[in-house]
Amino acid sequence: MSKKLIMAAAAAADKDNDSLQLPLRNWMDMETTKKKTTLSHKESIVRKTTIAYGILELILRWRCFETTTSKPFKNNEPDIIIHTDNFTVLVSSTNSSQSQYQPSWDDITGVAMKYPKLSLTIEEPAYLTCLFEPDETHGQLGRCLEVEHHNHASSSSVMHEDENSSVLPTKAEATTADLTNDNNERMRVNNNRCYYLVAKVLYELFANEVFPEESSLAVNEEATTIVVSTAVATVLSEEPVQKKIKSSSRHYDVLSPPAKGDFNTVKLLPFQIPSIVRMQQQLGIPASLCRMMQNLLEAALSRGDDEDDENTSLNDAYKSLRDVAEDLHLLLLDPDRFLFDNEVQQQGTTNDETTTIIQLRYRKDKLYGRDKEETLITDAFCRVSRGKSEAFFIGGFSGCGKSMLVNSLRARVNVVGGYVIQHKFDVTVSQERSLSGVISAVNQLCVMLKRRNAPPRLAKLAKKIRDEFGADVALLARILQNVSVLSPEFISPVAAAVEEEATGGDTMNARSVGFTLLRFLRLVSSPKHPIMLFLDDLQWADDTALDVIHTFLSDTMGSCMFFVGTYRDNEVDANHPIFDLMKKLEISHVPTSKVSLVGLDRENLNTMISDALCLYPRICNSLSDIVIKKTNGSPFFVLEFMKSLKDRGLLQYNYHQKRWVWDEDTIRAEGITDNVMHLLSYEMNGLSDEIQLLLKVMACFGTCTNESVIGYLSESVEYSGVRDGLERAVIGGFVEKNREGDFKFVHDKVREAAYNLIPDSDKEQFHYNLGKILCTICSGNGKDEGDIVLLICSQINHGIESIKADNLCIPAAKLNMKAGKKALDGCDHKTAYSYLDTAQSLLPDDNWESYYDLSLRLNFLLARAANSSCKYDEAELILQTICKRARCFQDKLPAYFLLVTIFLAQGKVVDAYNTSSSILSLLGETVPETEAVTLETVGSLIPETLNMYAEVYGDDWLGKKMEDSTLFNTMKFYSIMVTTAYFIKPSHMVAYFICKMVQLSLRHGVCQYTPQALMILSSIVIRFDNAEFIRRIAKNAMLLAERFDLSDEMVDVHLHFHRGAGQLDSYQLCATQLRKSFASGLSSGNANIAFFCAGQGVQFSVISAEKDLISLLQEIDYYRNLLEIYKSELTKYCLLCYRETVSTFIDKGKTTAIEAKLTFADVSDPGNKLLEMFYFHQVFKNYWIGYAERCD
């Protein structure tokens, strides 16, 4: 779209074989003829405007020379040079003569001046696309014209500059040359004469008729009328230019300026200007061009002193010819807005009557005054698109254009094949549902992938997801419901969620959710397809959501993300989680940029107003001075202020002048508020009751409201008018429809003003009534609250006192429990905790007696939510309450199991072991003391178990399911005993508990803990040197794991497979599979097992040389960085041992070692696994570096 208009001192046009040189008047005649046949009126206007712009640039070049060299004009020189007959048009006509010339719409190649000889070349013009039908392929209407000037050595004597002289001066230089270079009256009169002559040329160009000299020619008090065109005709005859200049002064009386001191005698009668403008309008010339010629004639009247300032009729008069050229450039740049008479209309309703309203033409998608910031954010994204994640934070007050700055990058992201996902945090819901906002943003990505990729590519992506996640795809589908659009098989199983609620087996938390999302983002992001995550209004986000963002950005294993976060820097203090995130990113060496936006400066604000009014920027200056003082340059405030001026009649559209008009003095005297909230409130108070009700309702739900909510409410008597109010609110510019089909406020400030329509004393009751009516409508019509149950609860919970007064505590508690369960199922644990905690607060003091079942289920769900939100102490207290108040042992078992998993998560291994041992005793099992279990005991127990397996094994046994709930719970707690005994008991104790688990399964049937027991058994008996038998046990374990569709337990299964049967095949394969187990463990929330898999995988990598040592060291450091988040001390010491070994192998630790202190607790403890590991690595290192004698 960007074309060049290059102005050069070129050879004569008749020497150019590709162009014809037509006198301007001849070209105008041809244009008129062509307009009657093939050329539309708008096409003709654009072409003539292009010629006009070229003429002004030629005149400015001539003027620049005259003023900078202080050379005075010859008496008749302006009239000769600024004359229609002094210009020619260059048109394309290859191998054609002038007589054979057939004009076409795109034939213009340049403009030239005969005296002095200057030419201007237009290259690759692009015209009028928007005027044609969609199937036509012409260029675009708007053009950005760039001008470059050179001198012509053989030009007339007035041009003496070197051929390689500099380009045209800047606006400031040209203005100085035009106005202040020769500060005397003679220069003023010459300037005024030039304005008049330019107006005359433009009139003749666009009207194609002679300028009405008899009504507007400048005259002398004594003089007779001078026919200037005769002199011009002589100069432009066949004789050389220099010769004709000399002879013309002898034969023709060319108008010259009056004698010094007689300047007041040159006048242009003011009343004649309107008549000229009317003539132009009657000829169909656009109002913008009529206004330009009017302002030129007004400039011819100007004295250039204080009297002009007092004469309001001259306020819009031009101050320089450079301003004229810039206005013409603007007309060509956006003709639809500035050149043509395009009055945007909208139907409005006033007193039940439909009226036509002229609208201000705001550029909603244009970013004003942010060039520097736009460059910074673009550069940052370009770095990301080369393969490394980066963060970009934007601070600023509400309405300063933060979101607009981010959105300016969307097109570039799309062009390079990237994806933009976003979420806007909301003051009304975000602090309760912060993590759900991040999940929602990533959920959008699934739909984008489906929409933008062909089926073969989607099939490949689905395969990558299956390969990466395996059984964990159920976890992914549980978090990202939209992942099912990528493949029908990616659906979250409902049965698993029911089982987790009953048993407390859900170990997922915010960290595991974040890591699962990260695994997905690694698969779909790349330098060719980077992901831009935009989170708006971070001041309302909490540390849970921001920790997930840190997980995304600090990843060093292949993700490619550009994170952009905006926040109101005037509404946060130094302790806000935003700044903690910035510090963490710095520690993690994630490149981070930060900018702060302020209000627009005077020039950019004036451009914004000029665009809205479709007026030349110079005309809007006076209004901009008022607006910037009122708004401090806030872009949103500017728009609302202008809208307020229009609504109050202080800014009106003049249909006769075809422009917006105003009175600065009246606006200043009006005393309009300088607070945007007051401005919006004033406007909203004048709206109809239906619109106000709709705005109040939407404000209660935040910045965005689901359309289904509006539909439900419209069914009620109280809110029957919201649907009609919605339509009017959209027309009024308060609300708009988003891409998902929901409705949102156009700006946060609009939502705040709408919320303020509700008196503070009535807000809680308004929320409560809104939620109660929604709940009544859903239940009364037999509809399930479904997705809006969280919205209903968020409204009802504002009126806790009203709930109690209406005796609705139990129904409200059940509704909150339903909302909490839904949030838990969606892995939004903090939101779940909020709703469940509210539900518990609504129960009576005797709830365990009067509402036992409700209390039991509610407390257990609350403990789950607290555990997943890392509120371990609180979860322990709730579980201890359950264990104390539950009526029977069976009701206590889920609480005990969740309690021991919490102990494990906190590293309280002894507490977990002792509690599990006590529960097993109550279940009827005998758990011996460690001293009572000898190696001989285990030595006989293992063959006994293997023999039983050999006898019982078969398809019948594999299909026999353990039905007894007591035995099932026994297996659960034995699995905890196995895990804890590994860290604090001798190895043979682990074997003892495994044999007990396997024998229970062989006698009573299989359950979901059987695969883990069988797999560990195979790793124990690997020393028996019966490979076939070991493989069979392991194979059966894997088949059972697939049958039970395990996810959480699958990590243990894989770990022990590769510690046992897997080693019979390949250490390298074991290392690869253990990495997958590590990822699976973190996704399911089993962090301790996950990092144990990581350590074991590193050990196999070292032994098998599966990976080069440098890469392996980087992998270990990746695990270590994650451990700074997960705080697992046991695993940390293991990894430090592995790291020291790898560092020794690389360079004996000279450059790769780190300072780390290893602590091994009680070295005399025979079950000290850390000490065993330390000795193993010492032996291993010494052997490989050549000190085998030390291994004894």
Side-chain angles (χ1 to χ4, degrees), residues 1067-1084:
Y1067 273 176
Q1068 294 181 339
L1069 181 61
C1070 287
T1072 301
Q1073 293 299 323
L1074 282 168
R1075 290 192 189 96
K1076 292 184 177 181
S1077 297
F1078 162 76
S1080 180
L1082 286 192
S1083 288
S1084 62

Side-chain angles (χ1 to χ4, degrees), residues 1099 1103 1138 1171-1181:
Q1099 180 172 323
I1103 295 173
Y1138 298 140
L1171 193 60
E1172 289 181 13
M1173 182 181 299
F1174 173 75
Y1175 288 140
F1176 167 79
H1177 279 274
Q1178 290 296 102
V1179 171
F1180 190 53
K1181 285 187 295 183

Side-chain angles (χ1 to χ4, degrees), residues 9-201:
D14 53 4
K15 295 181 182 179
D16 188 343
N17 294 328
D18 294 328
S19 299
L20 290 176
Q21 185 172 13
L22 301 177
L24 180 56
R25 289 194 188 276
N26 291 0
W27 182 86
M28 290 156 48
D29 292 338
M30 292 179 179
E31 195 75 6
T32 302
T33 302
K34 185 163 61 170
K35 179 180 173 183
K36 295 177 181 178
T37 55
T38 61
L39 197 64
S40 73
H41 176 67
K42 284 191 173 182
E43 287 176 321
S44 178
I45 291 296
V46 171
R47 286 161 56 81
K48 289 181 178 181
T49 305
T50 304
I51 299 299
Y53 178 62
I55 289 173
L56 257 295
E57 289 293 343
L58 290 172
I59 293 172
L60 281 168
R61 185 55 179 166
W62 161 69
R63 291 277 290 157
C64 175
F65 169 77
E66 295 291 346
T67 54
T68 54
T69 59
S70 301
K71 179 179 179 180
F73 294 141
K74 296 183 179 180
N75 287 343
N76 63 341
E77 197 166 47
D79 294 79
I80 296 173
I81 293 175
I82 309 177
H83 193 281
T84 303
D85 292 332
N86 191 37
F87 297 99
T88 60
V89 179
L90 304 179
V91 295
S92 175
S93 184
T94 305
N95 300 322
S96 296
S97 63
Q98 183 168 339
S99 61
Q100 299 172 330
Y101 169 63
Q102 295 295 326
S104 62
W105 72 272
D106 59 351
D107 62 348
I108 300 173
T109 61
V111 181
M113 183 186 286
K114 296 181 181 179
Y115 170 77
K117 183 173 288 188
L118 294 173
S119 68
L120 170 150
T121 302
I122 304 174
E123 293 187 346
E124 300 179 1
Y127 294 105
L128 315 170
T129 297
C130 63
L131 304 180
F132 297 100
E133 295 298 326
D135 58 342
E136 295 185 276
T137 57
H138 294 289
Q140 289 190 339
L141 177 62
R143 293 175 293 156
C144 179
L145 306 180
E146 299 176 2
V147 180
E148 182 180 351
H149 296 268
H150 300 277
N151 291 327
H152 181 39
S154 61
S155 187
S156 122
S157 59
V158 250
M159 301 297 294
H160 301 292
E161 295 173 278
D162 182 72
E163 176 171 68
N164 299 316
S165 64
S166 61
V167 298
L168 188 71
T170 63
K171 177 179 178 180
E173 293 169 341
T175 302
T176 302
D178 282 345
L179 298 177
T180 63
N181 187 63
D182 188 358
N183 192 17
N184 56 50
E185 288 294 294
R186 183 176 298 277
M187 182 60 72
R188 179 184 68 80
V189 173
N190 277 326
N191 288 340
N192 290 6
R193 182 64 179 171
C194 289
Y195 291 131
Y196 163 73
L197 293 171
V198 170
K200 180 179 176 182
V201 170

Side-chain angles (χ1 to χ4, degrees), residues 860-898:
F860 185 68
L861 287 173
L862 183 60
R864 279 183 57 197
N867 172 44
S868 297
S869 301
C870 300
K871 298 180 179 181
Y872 300 122
D873 293 341
E874 192 165 342
E876 284 185 38
L877 291 174
I878 297 170
L879 291 170
Q880 288 169 4
T881 299
I882 295 174
C883 294
K884 179 180 179 182
R885 304 296 296 271
R887 293 174 180 174
C888 64
F889 181 61
Q890 289 297 325
D891 288 347
K892 297 178 181 180
L893 282 174
Y896 277 123
F897 186 72
L898 183 56

Side-chain angles (χ1 to χ4, degrees), residues 1138-1188:
Y1138 298 140
R1139 194 190 190 287
E1140 185 178 307
T1141 299
V1142 175
S1143 175
T1144 302
F1145 288 168
I1146 293 174
D1147 59 0
K1148 296 185 179 181
K1150 293 180 180 178
T1151 61
T1152 56
I1154 60 173
E1155 292 185 8
K1157 183 178 180 182
L1158 297 177
T1159 303
F1160 300 106
D1162 186 1
V1163 295
S1164 63
D1165 183 359
N1168 193 328
K1169 296 297 187 298
L1170 289 175
L1171 193 60
E1172 289 181 13
M1173 182 181 299
F1174 173 75
Y1175 288 140
F1176 167 79
H1177 279 274
Q1178 290 296 102
V1179 171
F1180 190 53
K1181 285 187 295 183
N1182 281 284
Y1183 178 80
W1184 279 103
I1185 61 177
Y1187 299 106

Side-chain angles (χ1 to χ4, degrees), residues 197-234:
L197 293 171
V198 170
K200 180 179 176 182
V201 170
L202 294 183
Y203 179 91
E204 294 182 350
L205 172 62
F206 287 98
N208 196 22
E209 61 180 46
V210 178
F211 188 78
E213 297 277 358
E214 64 280 1
S215 63
S216 58
L217 182 64
V219 298
N220 187 293
E221 288 182 351
E222 309 174 351
T224 58
T225 301
I226 305 299
V227 185
V228 180
S229 58
T230 306
V232 175
T234 304

